[in-house]
């Protein structure tokens, strides 16, 4: 009955979440259903397992949600994201419109701008560029996904994405784990994605297919509660806060737009590799600091300091264009709350499942997958991200349940934990782009398109390219190790 309970609880979570029920309600309900099937005490599971695990996730990662959302909103309202996108379009020209959209999305998200902020700014720009170049608008979502939701989220070393931060406390790694393999994976994703999009563009031109007629607007997405529920589970910014604050009517100079993005990467690198390792944090072992270690908190600290520094720089360089600074920062702060709580609820659900005696069967099955620990870790993160429709939620559930086991396996087999970090992150960012993913649904709505119009291209640039990169990273890592 315990294994049946896990399946029933997971089924309820997936089906009702797909129908846009709030994860804040679904996750504890589904967890208690699973516990009831397993004959486990319900109230103890609710308060001592579910809530404790959810609170632990918030304690570790809420600073990144908060600072990332505030930074993204500042970059949006100051006109910085628009300036970067416009700059890329002007430099690359009408003949390389797809590349311009991809690189604009990549630059702002690798620099720390929240995904949904990028969606709401880049999608309208992409529509104008694609119309002028007579490229089918059905390719816009795939171009945006390639730039914002693939290699800058999971592969490029140092990315401040929450997905790249989650493995750090488990494995004691930094945001720059396995940098060489990460760069190779990023090149594979970018190369395969651009090849597919250029191929699709060429086919469309031969067939005489133009831009098309209708187009979507962002306003109805902001007001749609069903889309909002899915979106906040999938990513780290509540789209309802997009229109709050006041967006600058004056364009931001390119320098003022780009410098804060560079600051995020540069400060993250300096903190991770130079500052924190040279300081004495032995006091962290004391109980008043949680009895922890630098390796468990250094990654989150590095990303948090990088985002906080970038916020100060963004305000200083765009002061004149931030007419309502308080409202902008309030909107950014508010935008972080629902996504953080939604993912924390998924984590609580995973903790209850992992605590059930029947989970031992699932654990043994995962660890017995042929190909070694890297393959089994990739499979676990893929499956859980697919089921939850959330890369961060699926990744945290997998590592909460199996992270310590993989650390022990790594010690026994000599596998570098940095390699495990990179495999886990890339694995979480593949099958999370299934049709029910909130980011996919929201992006299609913003673009005024349907799954039938554009999902095939999203699969190729978002799933196929990432799976290929994951296979290559596992193969290289198994042969030569982490680098």
């Amino acid at each position: 009955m315990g294994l049946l309970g896990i399946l029933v609880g997971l089924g309820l979570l997936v089906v009702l979440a797909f129908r846009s029920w709030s994860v804040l309600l679904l996750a504890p309900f589904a967890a208690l259903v699973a516990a009831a099937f397993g004959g486990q005490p319900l109230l103890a599971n609710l308060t001592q397992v579910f809530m404790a695990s959810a609170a632990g996730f918030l304690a570790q990662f809420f600073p990144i949600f908060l600072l990332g959302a505030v930074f993204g909103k500042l970059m949006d309202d100051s006109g910085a994201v628009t300036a970067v996108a416009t700059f890329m379009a002007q430099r690359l020209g009408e003949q390389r419109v797809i590349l311009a959209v991809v690189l604009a999305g990549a630059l702002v998200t690798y620099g720390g701008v929240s995904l949904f902020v990028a969606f709401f700014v880049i999608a309208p720009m992409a529509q104008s560029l694609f119309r002028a170049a007579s490229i089918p608008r059905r390719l816009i979502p795939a171009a945006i996904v390639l730039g914002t939701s693939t290699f800058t989220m999971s592969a490029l070393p140092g990315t401040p994405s929450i997905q790249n931060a989650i493995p750090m406390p488990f494995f004691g790694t930094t945001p720059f784990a396995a940098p060489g393999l990460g760069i190779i994976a990023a090149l594979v994703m970018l190369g395969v994605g651009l090849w597919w999009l250029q191929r699709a563009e060429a086919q469309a031109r031969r067939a005489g297919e133009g831009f098309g007629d209708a187009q979507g607007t962002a306003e109805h997405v902001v007001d749609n509660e069903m889309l909002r529920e899915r979106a906040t589970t999938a990513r780290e910014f509540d789209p309802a806060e997009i229109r709050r604050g006041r967006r600058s009517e004056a364009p931001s100079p390119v320098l003022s737009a780009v410098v804060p993005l560079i600051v995020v990467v540069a400060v993250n690198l300096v903190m991770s590799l130079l500052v924190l390792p040279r300081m004495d944090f032995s006091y962290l072992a004391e109980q008043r600091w949680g009895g922890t270690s630098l390796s468990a908190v250094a990654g989150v600290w590095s990303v948090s300091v990088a985002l906080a520094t970038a916020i100060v720089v963004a305000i200083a360089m765009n002061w004149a264009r931030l007419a309502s600074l308080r409202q902008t920062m309030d909107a950014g702060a508010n935008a972080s709350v629902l996504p953080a709580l939604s993912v924390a609820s998924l984590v609580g659900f995973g903790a209850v499942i992992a605590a059930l005696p029947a989970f031992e069967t699932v654990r043994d099955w995962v660890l017995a997958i042929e190909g070694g620990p890297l393959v089994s870790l990739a499979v676990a993160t893929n499956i859980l991200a697919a089921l939850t429709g959330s890369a961060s939620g699926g990744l945290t559930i997998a590592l909460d349940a199996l992270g310590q086991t993989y650390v022990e396996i790594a010690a026994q087999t000599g596998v570098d934990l940095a390699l495990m970090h990179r495999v886990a992150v890339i694995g979480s960012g593949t099958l999370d782009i299934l049709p029910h993913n909130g980011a996919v649904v929201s992006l299609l709505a913003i673009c005024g398109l349907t799954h039938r119009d554009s999902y095939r291209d999203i699969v190729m640039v978002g799933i196929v390219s990432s799976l290929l990169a994951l296979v290559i990273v596992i193969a290289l890592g198994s042969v030569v190790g982490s680098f």
Side-chain angles (χ1 to χ4, degrees), residues 339-476:
L341 289 175
S342 296
V343 177
S345 293
L346 289 175
V347 172
F349 168 81
V352 172
I353 297 299
L356 298 177
F359 184 76
E360 290 295 321
T361 303
V362 178
R363 175 182 174 278
D364 293 342
W365 174 78
V366 171
L367 297 177
I369 293 174
E370 294 186 6
L374 295 178
V375 173
S376 64
L377 177 59
V379 170
T381 54
N382 262 286
I383 292 175
L384 288 169
L387 291 173
T388 59
S390 168
S392 53
L395 179 58
T396 308
I397 291 172
L399 294 181
D400 265 345
L402 300 169
Q404 185 57 42
T405 301
Y406 279 109
V407 171
E408 294 170 1
I409 292 174
Q412 295 167 4
T413 60
V415 176
D416 194 326
L417 288 174
L419 175 57
M420 283 196 167
H421 173 127
R422 192 54 54 205
V423 167
V425 177
I426 296 175
S428 72
T430 51
L431 295 185
D432 78 309
I433 314 180
L434 290 179
H436 63 289
N437 175 268
V440 171
V441 174
S442 300
L443 178 59
L444 290 173
I446 292 170
C447 296
L449 294 161
T450 66
H451 284 80
R452 183 175 182 179
D453 295 325
S454 301
Y455 188 66
R456 175 170 172 261
D457 299 303
I458 291 175
V459 167
M460 292 303 299
V461 305
I463 296 179
V464 173
S465 69
S466 297
L467 283 174
L468 180 59
L470 180 60
V471 170
I472 291 174
V473 167
I474 291 175
L476 285 174

Side-chain angles (χ1 to χ4, degrees), residues 205-436:
R205 291 192 185 281
R206 287 195 297 269
E209 181 183 359
F211 174 77
D213 297 322
Q215 58 178 309
T217 63
E219 198 67 24
H220 74 287
V221 177
V222 171
D223 294 328
N224 191 315
E225 284 298 322
M226 292 182 67
L227 288 177
R228 183 190 182 198
E229 288 296 341
R230 293 187 181 184
T232 50
T233 304
R235 288 297 186 267
E236 67 280 5
F237 194 96
D238 183 351
E241 299 294 332
I242 283 287
R243 65 183 178 187
R244 297 194 171 95
R246 185 188 301 175
R247 185 175 293 175
S248 172
E249 297 180 2
S252 174
V254 174
L255 183 64
S256 298
V258 172
V259 168
L261 303 176
I262 296 174
V263 166
V264 172
V265 180
V267 173
N268 194 3
L269 177 65
V270 171
M271 289 293 295
S272 297
L273 304 184
L274 298 178
V275 176
L276 294 180
R278 298 183 180 183
M279 298 179 68
D280 180 15
F281 290 101
S282 57
Y283 63 84
L284 290 174
E286 299 175 17
Q287 282 305 310
R288 61 172 174 157
W289 307 115
T292 187
S293 64
L294 177 61
S295 62
V297 298
V300 173
W301 285 3
S302 297
V303 176
S304 298
V305 171
L307 289 170
T309 306
I311 286 172
V312 174
V313 172
I315 293 173
M317 299 195 72
N318 294 282
W319 180 265
R321 286 171 292 280
L322 293 168
S324 301
L325 179 61
R326 182 188 62 79
Q327 291 92 329
T328 293
M329 296 191 72
D330 283 353
N334 293 337
S336 70
V337 176
L338 186 55
L341 289 175
S342 296
V343 177
S345 293
L346 289 175
V347 172
F349 168 81
V352 172
I353 297 299
L356 298 177
F359 184 76
E360 290 295 321
T361 303
V362 178
R363 175 182 174 278
D364 293 342
W365 174 78
V366 171
L367 297 177
I369 293 174
E370 294 186 6
L374 295 178
V375 173
S376 64
L377 177 59
V379 170
T381 54
N382 262 286
I383 292 175
L384 288 169
L387 291 173
T388 59
S390 168
S392 53
L395 179 58
T396 308
I397 291 172
L399 294 181
D400 265 345
L402 300 169
Q404 185 57 42
T405 301
Y406 279 109
V407 171
E408 294 170 1
I409 292 174
Q412 295 167 4
T413 60
V415 176
D416 194 326
L417 288 174
L419 175 57
M420 283 196 167
H421 173 127
R422 192 54 54 205
V423 167
V425 177
I426 296 175
S428 72
T430 51
L431 295 185
D432 78 309
I433 314 180
L434 290 179
H436 63 289

Side-chain angles (χ1 to χ4, degrees), residues 139-151:
L139 297 179
I140 292 175
I144 295 176
V145 165
L146 178 59
T148 61
S149 306
T150 57
F151 59 96

